[in-house]
Amino acid sequence: MQTTQVQSHPASVDAYIRHGWALVPIPPSTKGPTAKGWNQKQNVLHSMSDLLPGYGIGLAHAYSGTMALDIDHWDRAAKELHDNGISLQYLYDAPDAVAINSGRQGHGKLLYAMPFGLALPSKKLVERMANGRPQNYLDFRCGTTNGLTVQDVLPPSIHPETRQPYHWAGRGHWTRLPVIPERLLDFWRTLVERDQQRTMAPDTVDASWDDIRSALEAITPDCDRAEWINVGMALHWAGHHTDQVETALHLWNEWSTPSSKYKGDREILTQWASFKVDHGTSVKLGTLFHIARRYGWVRPTPDVSVLFKPTDPPPT
């Protein structure tokens, strides 16, 4: 087992913790935790002595007051941000910019402090590639819809593909994270609010994409194949009824990937193509929620405050 740079520089772990960051352990040759309950606040690291040999470290955003803008396809992400009045290059060139460099071309990650300890749900932007596979190109990373956290690997952990350590980049310093720019935060809020809008298509369960993600988080992808297919069919149905087919396919792919039974992109794309949407479809969101409840899922209470927002005055 290769020893990570974290073990060579143990002071970095304690320095992050002293700074107020919550850290989670990252197993060797991976980019994410695997232990049950890793994203619960009580399970974060308290010191370097809690970290097993060979492990890397990840920043638990929701418990650290931070977020990451994760770029997986520079050109596509830059266009999306530009269309919303934001320059990705300007964000990187800012005098206080703090970035994490993994050494992968076309990829990047900017870190920001969240105002007032805010922890927004994470949001991925995806599109369908020419081969039919969904590609994530921009990701706002912070919390989850059920109040837990996501994480991003910190330097000097080792990247599992490049076998090189992550390192800090940008003109700023990680001890002085800039607050997320207001325009970027507003764009993120818009994406979250769009997901929280209730879908009211005929014959559907009144639900939001936040509800759907919350249910998926409760179901193990190592379930039997019948359940795996039903989850995919429910997501396929929801995607078609909300015009977000790419989002639905990406969710099924992302949820399925950690499973030991998952056979790769070809199987999931072939199975997805076999699903049909018609009036005779019996597997809808109700099926997904029924499966999730068997795993102990409780549907989040909707935010009723939106029902009492003032409306615009009628035109004269």
Side-chain angles (χ1 to χ4, degrees):
M1 180 182 296
Q2 180 175 342
T3 302
T4 70
Q5 291 290 323
V6 171
Q7 303 301 319
S8 301
H9 300 84
S12 60
V13 175
D14 290 329
Y16 291 148
I17 294 175
R18 286 195 302 270
H19 186 62
W21 284 0
L23 305 182
V24 295
I26 308 295
S29 302
T30 70
K31 292 192 291 185
T34 56
K36 184 177 180 179
W38 71 264
N39 54 1
Q40 297 174 4
K41 193 170 185 178
Q42 65 268 27
N43 293 329
V44 302
L45 299 173
H46 298 289
S47 70
M48 178 66 194
S49 60
D50 295 335
L51 193 65
L52 294 175
Y55 273 55
I57 47 173
L59 174 61
H61 291 297
Y63 310 142
S64 305
T66 59
M67 68 82 62
L69 184 69
D70 191 11
I71 299 96
D72 280 329
H73 190 291
W74 180 277
D75 292 341
R76 183 63 184 87
K79 182 182 184 304
E80 183 74 37
L81 292 172
H82 178 269
D83 291 345
N84 288 274
I86 303 165
S87 168
L88 180 56
Q89 191 62 57
Y90 178 83
L91 295 178
Y92 262 85
D93 292 341
D96 56 356
V98 176
I100 296 176
N101 191 336
S102 66
R104 298 180 67 200
Q105 191 71 22
H107 293 249
K109 193 168 293 181
L110 288 165
L111 290 191
Y112 292 105
M114 292 294 285
F116 313 113
L118 181 68
L120 286 180
S122 301
K123 173 63 183 176
K124 292 179 182 290
L125 298 182
V126 299
E127 65 179 356
R128 188 79 69 91
M129 299 172 63
N131 61 5
R133 179 185 177 186
Q135 174 182 262
N136 177 40
Y137 60 90
L138 185 64
D139 193 356
F140 292 80
R141 299 176 58 76
C142 183
T144 67
T145 56
N146 58 349
L148 299 177
T149 190
V150 302
Q151 66 81 33
D152 279 289
V153 182
L154 286 175
S157 306
I158 298 294
H159 192 283
E161 297 174 16
T162 67
R163 307 306 303 168
Q164 298 298 315
Y166 291 86
H167 61 268
W168 291 110
R171 300 167 64 186
H173 194 272
W174 66 265
T175 59
R176 299 182 297 276
L177 286 188
V179 176
I180 181 172
E182 185 173 354
R183 182 165 291 184
L184 189 63
L185 180 60
D186 288 343
F187 177 42
W188 185 7
R189 285 183 187 273
T190 300
L191 296 172
V192 171
E193 289 170 2
R194 186 180 69 188
D195 272 2
Q196 290 174 340
Q197 293 175 355
R198 318 302 278 188
T199 62
M200 295 298 292
D203 301 323
T204 185
V205 175
D206 177 22
S208 72
W209 283 103
D210 278 350
D211 294 331
I212 293 169
R213 290 188 178 92
S214 176
L216 279 176
E217 289 166 1
I219 305 170
T220 173
D222 277 323
C223 57
D224 62 46
R225 186 171 181 84
E227 278 193 352
W228 182 73
I229 294 294
N230 281 336
V231 169
M233 292 178 68
L235 291 173
H236 182 268
W237 184 89
H240 276 275
H241 279 80
T242 58
D243 294 324
Q244 296 193 50
V245 178
E246 285 78 13
T247 296
L249 175 56
H250 180 79
L251 282 177
W252 195 39
N253 181 68
E254 183 181 52
W255 170 75
S256 300
T257 298
S259 172
S260 58
K261 303 175 182 179
Y262 179 57
K263 299 296 195 313
D265 295 336
R266 177 174 297 182
E267 179 178 3
I268 199 167
L269 289 174
T270 300
Q271 193 67 59
W272 185 265
S274 72
F275 297 152
K276 306 297 181 185
V277 177
D278 52 42
H279 293 296
T281 301
S282 60
V283 178
K284 303 176 182 178
L285 286 183
T287 300
L288 173 66
F289 295 157
H290 176 72
I291 294 172
R293 282 193 291 270
R294 292 210 306 264
Y295 285 90
W297 177 72
V298 177
R299 187 171 178 179
T301 303
D303 182 6
V304 297
S305 65
V306 299
L307 302 177
F308 304 100
K309 289 183 178 179
T311 59
D312 295 332
T316 58

